Amino acid sequence: MLVLLFAFGVASARDSEKSLQEWIGDPSHGTFQGTIRLSGKTHGDYHRGYRCPSYEAATFAVSIVEKAHLHEKTPKALRATLLRSLAGQSCEPAAAGQYRPLQLGNASQIDNGPEAGEEWTALRVQAPDGAEIGLVYDASIYAIDD
């Protein structure tokens, strides 16, 4: 029984690593050579990435938006929920630089209409300063980053 549990844990870790590598390899997520490049530019209240103090804070912030879909139906209300959730977890707009994904977390969609969706994804990343942090990142092909 103990061996079976250990083997299951190893398989889960491998599956998680495989999922991360598949996510990084998907060009629609805006990754380049295994990294996420952020410009740090502001577009109104939109930033492509938000730096959180931890991976757990990033996953929690995204989970609030996932749950909000049960009650909120408009993109404006969902975006407001996202911004409140980020602030509540001490997540701030991410500085310009390259972020290396280390762990893939949950994701939540905000549908803004045709060719205007957002795919907020929680990640554990290595930041440009070398620190391991949480990142809430818009992995949508429609994300703004210049």
Side-chain angles (χ1 to χ4, degrees), residues 39-48 93 144 146:
S39 70
K41 293 191 178 183
T42 302
H43 303 276
D45 67 352
Y46 175 88
H47 300 269
R48 183 149 191 197
I144 302 170
D146 51 337

Side-chain angles (χ1 to χ4, degrees), residues 30-104:
T31 56
F32 180 75
Q33 296 182 344
T35 64
I36 295 168
R37 291 182 176 180
L38 294 177
S39 70
K41 293 191 178 183
T42 302
H43 303 276
D45 67 352
Y46 175 88
H47 300 269
R48 183 149 191 197
Y50 293 85
R51 180 182 178 131
C52 301
S54 67
Y55 172 71
E56 292 75 19
T59 59
F60 185 82
V62 172
S63 73
I64 295 299
V65 180
E66 288 178 88
K67 290 179 178 131
H69 279 86
L70 297 173
H71 307 288
E72 305 292 350
K73 302 301 177 198
T74 67
K76 184 176 180 179
L78 290 168
R79 172 156 275 293
T81 299
L82 170 68
L83 294 175
R84 282 191 308 273
S85 180
L86 290 165
Q89 294 303 307
S90 300
C91 302
E92 299 179 348
Q98 293 186 17
Y99 295 77
R100 187 170 58 87
L102 304 172
Q103 185 175 357
L104 179 61

Side-chain angles (χ1 to χ4, degrees), residues 89-134:
Q89 294 303 307
S90 300
C91 302
E92 299 179 348
Q98 293 186 17
Y99 295 77
R100 187 170 58 87
L102 304 172
Q103 185 175 357
L104 179 61
N106 51 335
S108 185
Q109 307 276 333
I110 298 177
D111 183 0
N112 295 313
E115 298 185 12
E118 301 170 27
E119 182 183 320
W120 294 102
T121 304
L123 298 157
R124 179 185 316 271
V125 298
Q126 182 178 30
D129 62 7
E132 277 192 23
I133 60 164

